[in-house]
């Protein structure tokens, strides 16, 4: 007590000051007197004190100021109201047994009642979401019966708009001396925002789990798809190696190997492409081009599979010439992917339609089949990566589930869009691509290399690859095409051989142990005689950055292994532009 008084006097507060902040930790109510040091006569006394935040406040009075007490009480009240308002907490009080409920405005707001409403226990339950009503009743009864804290979250529902709030209610019961419950009081807090956050997080979590599941499934499918061609390749290799194999069998085995390798190369290309698209690294080589050759190339690519299933393809093209600003290879990849799916997912002997029409300033390209169709719930995510509709028919056709993701990625890079339609399972499917038409007239028609004429010119070709089998087999193919070929198995060897052989074309592997293909190319380009020879890089790396690096090192062309012999022959024979 004296401590309080001396604390006040030490701070030289005038006794008529309404409030004096006394040191932290004071008891909420205290009594003390402040006396004049000289005479010891009382000058003021502490009338009321409260604890507020970290401090205790005392109201000082000198007996003649009841006004001071009122002002202090009013201020306390205001502070409490302010804190209550800020906290968003509503207060409720009920005499037991329940009848009329005393709610403050905030609780009424939590239950969508106006401040003037009088509320009964029936109103309370009526506004609680029907699924939460029974658990809430049970929690209240348990709390009163077992003398435990009441703490529950329920939803309240607006009777007209059906707006929902998530409310947390906390409270407890008072009992009289004989244990009869007399009051059930407590607070409500609106926790809708936290609930929404929780629901959003749960949604994200589910999405992640779903993506994870699809990735696992994809890895399993990928292993399966890459393993599949190995068995026929192994068997074919045995046939070729066998002295008992008839020439026709050897030829057949070779065809099997070629087919399977092309299949694997396509899978790997798709994988690389999708990785580029998801990383935003796929760059289009756009030019103004006519639609027809692009469609022709796509149809050409699917023709063998189409014929294999004895299916009929109807192609409808617009009468007028259609020009697009597009990457011709990528665009025909889009069309052939859609056609290939139509072939895969419809019966042998069925009919597939490819229709191209001009709609305003866009091309509308539709691929329609009357195959297995797509269930409405599967259409939504069908363009997502790794999405494969779980049906026996779908699965048995193989594939990685990335074809449509690639289609969408490429179409969107062209500023277009793609959609899928189906009347449901068994009713066929239609995939529609919209692409903007080119604004400019076509600059020139592109020359197409003809591999059939490839071998008409005899070249001096240097092949350098540390993989002996790869180098030898390539050399054999080139020799069979009528070229003169020399082989080196490392970079230095390639350079020395080049000095004497003076090739007009060099096919250089990039990853050689002593010198990279880039270094060999740079060294060759420094020789006057080699300034204009054709340099072709052979590599397993197909990123655009690899291609750029090769061109910077002096290469004219960049081919990804396994090299398509026809493409190579065409490249060697025709002086096609660099950067292919
Ligand atoms: P993949 O064909 O390699 O599985 P895609 O991305 O090309 O992968 O296709 C994803 C899925 O969409 C397929 O697994 C298939 O279930 C479904 N689908 C695609 N095209 C068709 C179609 N024309 N008819 C029916 N279902 C299709």
């Amino acid at each position: 007590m004296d401590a309080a008084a001396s604390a006040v006097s030490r701070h030289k507060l005038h006794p008529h000051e309404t409030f004096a902040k006394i040191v932290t930790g004071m008891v909420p109510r205290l009594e003390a007197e402040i006396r004049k040091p000289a005479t010891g006569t009382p000058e003021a006394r502490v009338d009321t004190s409260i604890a507020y935040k970290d401090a205790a406040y005392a109201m000082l009075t000198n007996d003649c100021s009841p006004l001071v007490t009122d002002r202090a009480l009013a201020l306390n009240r205001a502070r409490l109201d302010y804190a209550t308002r800020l906290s968003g907490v509503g207060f409720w009080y009920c005499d037991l047994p329940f009848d009329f409920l005393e709610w403050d405005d905030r609780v009424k707001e939590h239950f969508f009642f106006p401040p003037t409403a009088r509320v009964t226990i029936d109103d309370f339950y009526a506004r609680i979401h029907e699924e939460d009503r029974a658990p809430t009743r049970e929690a209240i009864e348990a709390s009163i019966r077992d003398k435990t804290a009441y703490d529950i979250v329920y939803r309240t529902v607006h009777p007209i708009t059906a707006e929902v709030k998530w409310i947390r209610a906390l409270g407890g019961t008072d009992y009289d001396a004989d244990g009869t419950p007399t009051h059930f009081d407590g607070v409500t807090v609106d926790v809708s925002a936290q609930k929404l956050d929780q629901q959003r997080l749960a949604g994200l979590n589910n999405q992640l789990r779903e993506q994870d599941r699809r990735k696992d499934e994809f890895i399993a499918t990928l292993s399966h798809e890459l393993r599949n061609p190995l068995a026929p390749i192994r068997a074919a290799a045995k046939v070729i190696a066998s002295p008992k194999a008839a020439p026709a069998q050897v030829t057949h085995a070779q065809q099997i190997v070629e087919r399977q390798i092309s299949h694997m190369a396509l899978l790997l290309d798709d994988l690389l492409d999708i990785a580029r698209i998801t990383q935003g690294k796929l760059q289009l080589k756009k030019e103004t081009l006519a639609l027809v050759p692009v469609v022709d190339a796509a149809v050409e690519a699917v023709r063998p599979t189409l014929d294999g299933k004895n299916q009929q393809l109807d192609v409808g093209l617009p009468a007028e010439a259609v020009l697009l600003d597009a990457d011709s290879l990528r665009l025909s990849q889009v069309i052939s992917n859609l056609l290939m799916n139509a072939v895969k997912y419809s019966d042998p002997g069925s009919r597939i339609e490819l229709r191209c029409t001009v709609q305003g300033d866009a091309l509308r390209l539709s691929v329609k089949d009357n195959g297995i169709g797509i269930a409405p719930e599967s259409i939504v995510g069908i363009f997502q990566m790794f999405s494969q509709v779980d049906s026996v028919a779908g699965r048995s056709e193989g594939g990685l589930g990335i074809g449509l993701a690639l289609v969408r990625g490429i179409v969107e890079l062209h500023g277009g869009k793609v959609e899928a339609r189906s009347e449901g399972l068994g009713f066929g499917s239609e995939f529609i691509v919209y692409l903007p038409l080119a604004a400019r007239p076509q600059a020139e028609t592109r020359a197409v290399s003809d591999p059939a004429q490839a071998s008409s010119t005899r070249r001096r070709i240097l092949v350098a690859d540390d993989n002996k089998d790869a180098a030898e087999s390539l050399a054999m193919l080139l020799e069979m095409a009528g070229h003169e070929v020399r082989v080196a198995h490392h970079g230095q060897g390639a350079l020395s051989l080049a000095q004497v052989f003076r090739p007009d074309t060099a096919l250089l592997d990039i990853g050689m142990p002593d010198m990279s293909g880039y270094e060999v190319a740079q060294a060759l380009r420094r020789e006057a005689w080699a300034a204009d020879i054709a340099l072709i890089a052979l590599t397993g790396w197909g990123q655009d950055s690899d291609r750029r690096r090769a061109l910077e090192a002096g290469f004219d062309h960049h081919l990804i292994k396994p090299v398509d012999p026809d493409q190579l022959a065409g490249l060697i024979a025709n002086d096609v532009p660099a950067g292919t």
Side-chain angles (χ1 to χ4, degrees):
M1 320 284 153
D2 287 349
S6 62
V8 173
S9 58
R10 239 203 338 267
H11 284 87
K12 293 197 172 56
L13 287 169
H14 189 277
H16 292 165
E17 284 276 359
T18 312
F19 286 95
K21 184 176 175 187
I22 311 181
V23 286
T24 306
M26 295 300 296
V27 288
R29 276 180 197 281
L30 58 84
E31 285 174 12
E33 282 185 346
I34 299 174
R35 294 166 191 270
K36 280 190 176 165
T39 61
T41 47
E43 185 159 292
R45 67 182 174 78
V46 175
D47 186 88
T48 314
S49 67
I50 57 157
Y52 178 65
K53 294 198 174 167
D54 293 339
Y57 290 84
M59 185 191 68
L60 306 179
T61 178
N62 49 7
D63 286 341
C64 58
S65 55
L67 191 72
V68 169
T69 312
D70 291 349
R71 277 167 60 193
L73 286 173
L75 188 61
N76 286 344
R77 177 79 216 175
R79 282 185 173 148
L80 190 61
D81 284 351
Y82 180 62
T84 309
R85 236 184 11 259
L86 275 188
S87 70
V89 172
F91 291 85
W92 47 267
Y93 314 90
C94 326
D95 287 337
L96 293 176
F98 289 111
D99 179 20
F100 172 70
L101 313 179
E102 191 188 336
W103 286 3
D104 72 1
D105 292 356
R106 184 57 61 92
V107 182
K108 288 179 188 166
E109 191 185 312
H110 291 162
F111 280 76
F112 303 101
F113 281 113
T116 49
R118 282 173 63 84
V119 186
T120 65
I121 189 75
D122 292 337
D123 297 326
F124 165 74
Y125 282 117
R127 294 272 163 119
I128 290 185
H129 192 289
E130 58 179 341
E131 286 171 16
D132 300 339
R133 234 170 258 156
T136 304
R137 194 185 295 276
E138 167 57 23
I140 292 172
E141 286 170 4
S143 166
I144 297 173
R145 186 183 60 233
D146 306 336
K147 302 191 173 166
T148 51
Y150 166 64
D151 186 349
I152 191 170
V153 174
Y154 47 70
R155 282 161 291 177
T156 55
V157 185
H158 191 288
I160 298 164
T161 63
E163 185 194 337
V164 170
K165 284 181 184 167
W166 287 88
I167 302 296
R168 181 175 179 196
L170 299 115
T173 318
D174 282 339
Y175 304 84
D176 66 14
D178 68 2
T180 310
T182 55
H183 287 280
F184 187 61
D185 306 331
V187 294
T188 52
V189 189
D190 187 339
V191 292
S192 305
Q194 291 95 306
K195 269 283 169 190
L196 281 180
D197 279 352
Q198 274 174 16
Q199 282 168 348
R200 228 189 40 238
L201 274 179
L204 284 175
N205 217 0
N206 281 343
Q207 261 179 29
L208 276 178
R209 228 176 285 136
E210 171 61 15
Q211 276 174 6
D212 202 38
R213 189 191 62 75
R214 278 202 269 135
K215 196 168 246 173
D216 284 349
E217 222 174 68
F218 168 72
I219 289 172
T221 316
L222 178 61
S223 320
H224 177 79
E225 289 296 310
L226 289 178
R227 210 160 224 295
N228 264 349
L230 294 183
I233 289 176
R234 180 178 279 166
K238 275 210 166 356
V239 170
I240 293 168
S242 164
K244 287 187 233 147
Q249 286 174 314
V250 172
T251 311
H252 187 210
Q254 277 161 345
Q255 284 164 350
I256 290 175
V257 171
E258 269 176 30
R259 227 180 5 254
Q260 296 300 328
I261 286 177
S262 309
H263 176 67
M264 279 180 99
L266 275 181
L267 283 180
L268 293 171
D269 280 350
D270 273 2
L271 272 178
L272 283 174
D273 285 347
I274 202 76
R276 281 186 206 131
I277 283 186
T278 48
Q279 292 164 20
K281 285 186 182 159
L282 188 87
Q283 278 169 10
L284 297 180
K285 296 200 188 84
K286 276 197 190 176
E287 57 187 328
T288 306
L289 46 85
L291 170 69
V292 178
V294 180
V295 171
D296 283 350
V299 172
E300 204 49 46
V302 296
R303 179 64 68 192
T305 326
L306 192 80
D307 292 345
K309 279 186 90 172
N310 203 17
Q311 287 162 326
Q312 186 194 331
L313 175 66
D314 286 347
V315 182
L317 293 165
E320 70 268 38
V322 172
L323 298 182
L324 300 162
D325 267 334
D327 181 324
S328 67
L329 277 180
R330 294 300 179 187
L331 203 52
S332 66
Q333 188 180 3
V334 164
I335 304 171
S336 62
N337 271 5
L338 293 178
L339 286 174
M340 198 62 100
N341 277 350
V343 172
K344 266 166 47 172
Y345 299 109
S346 49
D347 287 336
S350 61
R351 188 163 153 267
I352 295 162
E353 266 181 28
L354 168 61
R355 289 265 171 279
C356 301
T357 47
V358 172
Q359 284 191 352
D361 52 5
L363 167 73
R364 181 184 188 278
L365 186 151
S366 132
V367 175
K368 196 169 175 187
D369 62 63
N370 46 25
I372 63 168
I374 307 163
E377 66 273 15
S378 305
I379 285 219
V380 193
I382 205 155
F383 290 103
Q384 277 175 14
M385 207 177 1
F386 312 147
S387 77
Q388 287 192 315
V389 179
D390 233 346
S391 74
V392 178
R395 278 306 152 96
S396 61
E397 295 296 340
L400 294 176
I402 54 179
L404 287 180
L406 258 178
V407 165
R408 183 173 67 177
I410 295 174
V411 167
E412 286 178 355
L413 278 176
H414 279 90
K417 61 176 184 163
V418 57
E419 63 187 44
R421 291 184 189 170
S422 174
E423 298 290 315
L425 284 178
F427 290 97
S429 315
E430 184 176 14
F431 287 82
I432 305 168
V433 172
Y434 297 91
L435 287 169
L437 295 176
R440 321 188 287 275
Q442 189 175 14
E444 60 189 46
T445 46
R446 294 170 317 119
V448 178
S449 63
D450 179 0
Q453 296 165 4
S455 56
S456 57
T457 325
R458 183 177 159 88
R459 304 256 181 196
R460 295 167 66 78
I461 303 175
L462 169 69
V463 174
D465 195 328
D466 61 323
N467 180 329
K468 288 197 175 149
D469 281 349
E472 302 299 345
S473 57
L474 191 56
M476 248 154 55
L477 280 175
L478 292 167
E479 275 166 357
M480 277 159 53
H483 303 295
E484 191 181 348
V485 187
R486 296 284 184 280
V487 176
H489 296 308
H490 45 82
Q492 281 297 348
L495 277 180
S496 335
L497 187 59
Q499 292 297 345
V500 286
F501 177 52
R502 297 284 171 103
D504 51 35
T505 304
L507 296 170
L508 306 176
D509 177 33
I510 293 299
M512 289 184 288
D514 61 333
M515 273 176 98
S516 74
Y518 300 128
E519 289 167 320
V520 177
Q522 279 162 346
L524 279 176
R525 283 290 187 230
R526 282 195 289 270
E527 302 283 340
W529 61 265
D532 294 324
I533 68 171
L535 289 184
I536 302 174
L538 303 176
T539 158
W541 304 105
Q543 302 282 356
D544 285 336
S545 54
D546 302 312
R547 196 180 296 277
R548 249 195 327 273
R549 202 167 156 207
L551 297 184
E552 277 162 18
F555 281 104
D556 299 304
H557 307 291
H558 177 267
L559 295 183
I560 300 162
K561 292 179 183 176
V563 176
D564 173 358
D566 286 345
Q567 189 192 4
L568 181 61
L571 205 59
I572 291 171
N574 297 286
D575 199 11
V576 291
T580 44

